[in-house]
Amino acid sequence: MLIHSSSWYLGQSALCISTIFLQKNGIRRFSISTQFPSSAVSSSSMLLKKQLNQKSRHPIVSALEIGGVKIDKDDVVRDDPTNNVPDTIFTKLGLQLHRRDQHPLGILKNAIYDYFDMNYSTKFVKFDDLCPIVSVKQNFDDVLVPADHVSRSYNDTYYIDAQTVLRCHTSAHQAELFRKGHTHFLVIGDVYRRDSIDSTHYPVFHQMEGVRVFSTDELEKSGMDGTSYAAIDLKKCLEGLARHLFGAVEMRWVDTYFPFTNPSFELEIYFKEQWLEVLGCGVTEQEILKRNGRENNVAWAFGLGLERLAMVLFDIPDIRLFWSTDERFTCQFSEGKLGVKFKPFSKFPPCYKDMSFWISDAFTENNLCEVVRGITGDLVEEVKLIDNFTNKKGMTSHCYRIAYRSMERSLTDDEINQLQWKVREEVESKLKVVLR
């Protein structure tokens, strides 16, 4: 359960419904997440639309079918001052790379499943198809993210409207699962964050969260205070998971801070002659349990980023490759084969283009990266600040170097020049900067 990208469901298909009803005293929002067979999604959606039309002039209904996108675009990308979801993000909704058994993310997910099945005898319920459209309350308030936390800003999070976001972490489902009575669960899914552009960052990635709640009987039998017992059990569990994935590696625990666990830890392993952060974890804050009917229990939680671990285990050098449909990439991986080393098939050189401009106080690098992605898609490898200065008048200039490189083909000079020209135009018009 983590806000950081490196760290921290039911049945075969999920119907994600978001309805907005205009009322005299403002807008009332209802969010429903429930389970239906895949064949029932279409008919259920049509029936729901018919029912809603009888109650409201402006219903908004969306359905997510496993295996592909089935969400109305107007439900995600809207002409609304609070909406900051671009078309490029909408196209990723519902692809669910983690549910593809021959994809590196699916292979890694299943390897983690195997560990928990072997060591906890099917205690952990697995949810990998929960809808990524959640409320602000689910995403932030339910896991005690402070009101002034940077992750709540429009610079960091994709807002559909003022009360609805694309989840930033799989912890957005934790409170609901507690209320439904679940005590051992794994939640895996695609999460969304506005971020920089480089080989290890992408606005869509995949997380796994694990939670275990201890009964009062378990705590009494331990003869220890609940927090200490949960922390010991948590570390034992995750050390075993690290050995399951990486073999006999050296490990160390680092104390850290998260708003939703106390104490909190990060697990690092010594891998290929360097210390690598594997995951974040901790003992769940008692307030979260209390709010969800578990005031007499103690729990632990952990979270990890699938891409981060898969890049290490499979030697995948660029996070964009996970989204590739090129057979030279997809055919290298097979179900159940963890750690097959990726063999690069592209040696196309990057092409660098620099862009300098005077910024305003409202400028942010994340906004710049959104503009670049919106025009170039995945053809940009990196956007890097290479120079900045402030003149005597107090004006600040930034110079960014954009590295163009496809992972699958050679880009022509003409193609790159046209993209760069469009980037310059959009940066100037949308970000209100003055090009130099």
Side-chain angles (χ1 to χ4, degrees), residues 219-239:
L219 297 177
E220 289 176 1
K221 290 179 181 178
S222 72
M224 302 173 62
D225 72 274
T227 298
S228 298
Y229 180 68
I232 291 172
D233 184 85
L234 171 65
K235 290 182 176 181
K236 178 181 177 182
C237 170
L238 297 180
E239 287 172 0

Side-chain angles (χ1 to χ4, degrees), residues 6-64:
S6 61
S7 316
W8 237 310
Y9 322 103
L10 314 179
Q12 296 302 309
S13 145
L15 178 69
C16 171
I17 305 166
S18 175
T19 62
I20 298 179
F21 297 87
L22 300 181
Q23 297 186 337
K24 292 181 181 179
N25 296 325
I27 297 178
R28 182 181 177 191
R29 180 172 192 84
F30 299 83
S31 294
I32 307 169
S33 180
T34 185
Q35 315 310 316
F36 294 85
S38 297
S39 59
V41 171
S42 178
S43 58
S44 298
S45 179
M46 291 177 63
L47 176 61
L48 183 62
K49 285 184 178 181
K50 183 177 180 180
Q51 293 171 339
L52 291 174
N53 279 326
Q54 297 173 357
K55 299 180 180 180
S56 169
R57 293 182 180 179
H58 305 287
I60 299 176
V61 181
S62 42
L64 174 62

Side-chain angles (χ1 to χ4, degrees), residues 159-202:
Y159 280 80
I160 294 174
D161 59 41
Q163 298 301 321
T164 316
V165 299
L166 296 178
R167 65 185 172 208
C168 301
H169 49 181
T170 47
S171 302
H173 306 285
Q174 187 182 103
E176 180 182 6
L177 293 175
F178 279 149
R179 290 193 295 271
K180 288 183 177 180
H182 294 288
T183 59
H184 296 67
F185 54 87
L186 301 172
V187 180
I188 306 91
D190 43 325
V191 297
Y192 299 78
R193 295 181 200 166
R194 302 176 90 243
D195 214 334
S196 55
I197 297 177
D198 59 39
S199 63
T200 61
H201 290 86
Y202 201 78

Side-chain angles (χ1 to χ4, degrees), residues 84-97:
N84 64 351
V85 183
D87 291 348
T88 51
I89 294 300
F90 168 73
T91 61
K92 299 294 193 294
L93 285 168
L95 295 185
Q96 298 190 316
L97 302 182

Side-chain angles (χ1 to χ4, degrees), residues 49-317:
K49 285 184 178 181
K50 183 177 180 180
Q51 293 171 339
L52 291 174
N53 279 326
Q54 297 173 357
K55 299 180 180 180
S56 169
R57 293 182 180 179
H58 305 287
I60 299 176
V61 181
S62 42
L64 174 62
E65 287 185 345
I66 300 309
V69 174
K70 191 63 176 180
I71 297 179
D72 292 337
K73 186 174 180 180
D74 290 343
D75 285 358
V76 182
V77 182
R78 301 176 186 167
D79 185 14
D80 182 297
T82 61
N83 185 281
N84 64 351
V85 183
D87 291 348
T88 51
I89 294 300
F90 168 73
T91 61
K92 299 294 193 294
L93 285 168
L95 295 185
Q96 298 190 316
L97 302 182
H98 61 285
R99 302 192 80 224
R100 303 179 184 185
D101 291 339
Q102 294 186 329
H103 189 281
L105 299 182
I107 296 168
L108 174 58
K109 180 199 77 171
N110 289 330
I112 299 174
Y113 278 0
D114 289 343
Y115 170 78
F116 280 91
D117 286 344
M118 288 187 296
N119 290 275
Y120 294 92
S121 185
T122 68
K123 276 190 175 182
F124 280 80
V125 182
K126 308 175 186 73
F127 303 92
D128 68 355
D129 61 355
L130 297 184
C131 183
I133 300 173
V134 299
S135 68
V136 168
K137 179 178 181 297
Q138 289 174 297
N139 198 72
F140 297 119
D141 300 334
D142 285 350
V143 287
L144 308 183
V145 176
D148 60 351
H149 196 281
V150 64
S151 64
R152 289 181 181 256
S153 73
Y154 284 85
N155 187 59
D156 284 40
T157 295
Y158 289 110
Y159 280 80
I160 294 174
D161 59 41
Q163 298 301 321
T164 316
V165 299
L166 296 178
R167 65 185 172 208
C168 301
H169 49 181
T170 47
S171 302
H173 306 285
Q174 187 182 103
E176 180 182 6
L177 293 175
F178 279 149
R179 290 193 295 271
K180 288 183 177 180
H182 294 288
T183 59
H184 296 67
F185 54 87
L186 301 172
V187 180
I188 306 91
D190 43 325
V191 297
Y192 299 78
R193 295 181 200 166
R194 302 176 90 243
D195 214 334
S196 55
I197 297 177
D198 59 39
S199 63
T200 61
H201 290 86
Y202 201 78
V204 188
F205 56 102
H206 298 75
Q207 276 193 340
M208 175 181 289
E209 165 151 317
V211 173
R212 180 180 185 181
V213 180
F214 295 90
S215 68
T216 53
D217 287 343
E218 288 177 301
L219 297 177
E220 289 176 1
K221 290 179 181 178
S222 72
M224 302 173 62
D225 72 274
T227 298
S228 298
Y229 180 68
I232 291 172
D233 184 85
L234 171 65
K235 290 182 176 181
K236 178 181 177 182
C237 170
L238 297 180
E239 287 172 0
L241 176 59
R243 285 189 292 269
H244 178 73
L245 297 177
F246 293 94
V249 292
E250 184 181 353
M251 307 179 206
R252 69 183 183 188
W253 290 98
V254 179
D255 292 337
T256 187
Y257 164 79
F258 303 116
F260 20 68
T261 54
N262 183 28
S264 301
F265 316 100
E266 288 178 345
L267 176 61
E268 297 182 349
I269 65 170
Y270 195 69
F271 190 76
K272 293 186 177 180
E273 299 184 348
Q274 62 179 338
W275 284 103
L276 171 71
E277 178 195 333
V278 175
L279 50 80
C281 62
V283 179
T284 305
E285 281 283 4
Q286 205 61 33
E287 179 64 23
I288 295 177
L289 296 169
K290 181 179 178 181
R291 289 182 184 183
N292 296 287
R294 295 283 177 180
E295 59 269 18
N296 295 322
N297 297 108
V298 174
W300 56 242
F302 74 86
L304 55 84
L306 291 179
E307 277 88 345
R308 183 185 185 92
L309 298 187
M311 290 180 77
V312 175
L313 289 166
F314 294 94
D315 277 354
I316 295 175

